[in-house]
Amino acid sequence: MSASIAAPLPLGAPRRAWLTDLPVLLVAVVWGASYLAAKGITTTHTVIAVLVLRFAVVLPVLVIAGWSRLRALSAAQWRGAAILGLILSGIFLLETYGVVHTSATNAGLIISLTMILTPLAEAAVTRVAPPRAFLAAAGLSVTGVVLLTQGGGFTAPSLGDLLMLLAAVARTVHVLAMSRIKAVGSADSLSLTTVQLGSAVAVFAVIAAFPGTGASPWAVALDFGPREWAGLIFLSVFCTLFAFFVQMWAVRRSSPSRVSLLLGTEPLWAAAVGIALAGDRPGVLGLAGAILVLAGTSWGRRAADKDAG
């Protein structure tokens, strides 16, 4: 037995670990609640306006906080981050339109398929077959999504379900692009996030300028009441600004795998919030599907981590 195993842990070690874990877990909770929050303040005609407002609120804070590091980015890093921002804009468009047309529970659980799709896509790119346990977990998750969207009996998936599935695919593309665009590999994470969000806001603003794309951000802002502003601030401050800084803080004090494991509970919180606050009733089939999605993504994450180790 090695000395490190035999030596007793410092008295405060478990407590310090939980002090790091709790904020990360809180990020997973607010992300899980974000689907219901977005659904509560968004309609088909206000999606673009809400997206402009959501990120316009936090972007100045990020620019001010990281101004010196933004100026230090090279032209290649700016281009790479801008490309990632274009992909990010597609993700948010699909997610926000999707959550308008499906339940918060379905949205949170379907988007969790990103954890399965990303290693599968990486395997296709590198031509390295994933382990059999991972493929079994992927099959379990897909079966779960099929059942989840059929809570009221076997019918065609809703438009929102399909949009959330496309959003999961777009998230996968975003992750792969981050690993493939070499210029962003050495970029400061705060600067990278700021440029991405700035690019996404620019896309939303351009779309909003075209006729027939819904209400203008200004009109929506004027029409918002206290409840809508509370939802927007929640999405902007907690689900974006708070979540980003907690991740940066936690990764320096914990391990990326531990942070990823905690953030992976997001779909569980999305389902809990949807059922408790929105009155979502997935039915027996939907409940079975939710359990399969959670089990499959958890199993798949462990299988992928084991294979990587």
Side-chain angles (χ1 to χ4, degrees):
M1 183 178 290
S2 67
S4 60
I5 296 176
L9 288 170
L11 185 61
R15 183 172 180 270
R16 285 197 298 271
W18 272 107
L19 287 176
T20 302
D21 289 348
L22 284 175
V24 178
L25 190 61
L26 184 57
V27 170
V29 173
V30 298
W31 277 355
S34 68
Y35 301 100
L36 183 59
K39 191 175 182 67
I41 67 171
T42 313
T43 67
T44 303
H45 301 292
T46 63
V47 167
I48 305 299
V50 167
L51 286 172
V52 171
L53 293 171
R54 173 180 176 178
F55 296 109
V57 169
V58 299
L59 194 57
V61 178
L62 292 175
V63 170
I64 293 171
W67 178 247
S68 61
R69 283 169 284 184
L70 276 172
R71 294 179 63 185
L73 290 178
S74 67
Q77 288 172 329
W78 273 93
R79 286 193 299 270
I83 291 171
L84 292 175
L86 294 178
I87 301 172
L88 191 66
S89 68
I91 294 171
F92 281 115
L93 284 168
L94 288 168
E95 285 184 356
T96 310
Y97 274 114
V99 80
V100 169
H101 294 288
T102 191
S103 68
T105 299
N106 278 24
L109 289 166
I110 292 173
I111 202 68
S112 71
L113 286 178
T114 304
M115 290 181 282
I116 295 295
L117 293 175
T118 301
L120 287 176
E122 183 68 22
V125 170
T126 60
R127 298 183 180 181
V128 177
R132 291 182 180 179
F134 181 85
L135 293 176
L140 197 66
S141 296
V142 171
T143 302
V145 168
V146 172
L147 293 177
L148 177 68
T149 59
Q150 308 302 317
F154 286 99
T155 59
S158 71
L159 173 62
D161 295 332
L162 295 176
L163 289 174
M164 294 307 299
L165 184 58
L166 288 175
V169 173
R171 279 196 184 189
T172 299
V173 172
H174 186 258
V175 172
L176 291 180
M178 286 189 71
S179 66
R180 298 288 168 178
I181 301 177
K182 296 181 179 179
V184 303
S186 58
D188 170 71
S189 55
L190 174 59
S191 302
L192 182 62
T193 299
T194 303
V195 176
Q196 285 188 79
L197 290 182
S199 301
V201 170
V203 171
F204 303 145
V206 169
I207 294 174
F210 282 90
T213 54
S216 70
W218 179 253
V220 170
L222 290 177
D223 194 49
F224 269 4
R227 185 182 69 84
E228 288 78 14
W229 274 110
L232 183 69
I233 295 300
F234 174 76
L235 290 171
S236 299
V237 175
F238 290 95
C239 300
T240 306
L241 198 60
F242 168 77
F244 170 74
F245 282 108
V246 165
Q247 287 182 83
M248 286 185 60
W249 171 82
V251 167
R252 290 182 173 90
R253 290 162 176 79
S254 183
S255 65
S257 59
R258 189 178 182 92
V259 172
S260 175
L261 182 64
L262 292 167
L263 292 179
T265 63
E266 175 192 344
L268 178 63
W269 298 111
V273 169
I275 292 171
L277 299 182
D280 292 347
R281 295 293 179 265
V284 175
L285 285 178
L287 185 59
I291 293 171
L292 289 180
V293 170
L294 293 172
T297 52
S298 177
W299 183 17
R301 190 187 307 114
R302 289 197 302 271
D305 290 343
K306 183 178 179 180
D307 184 58

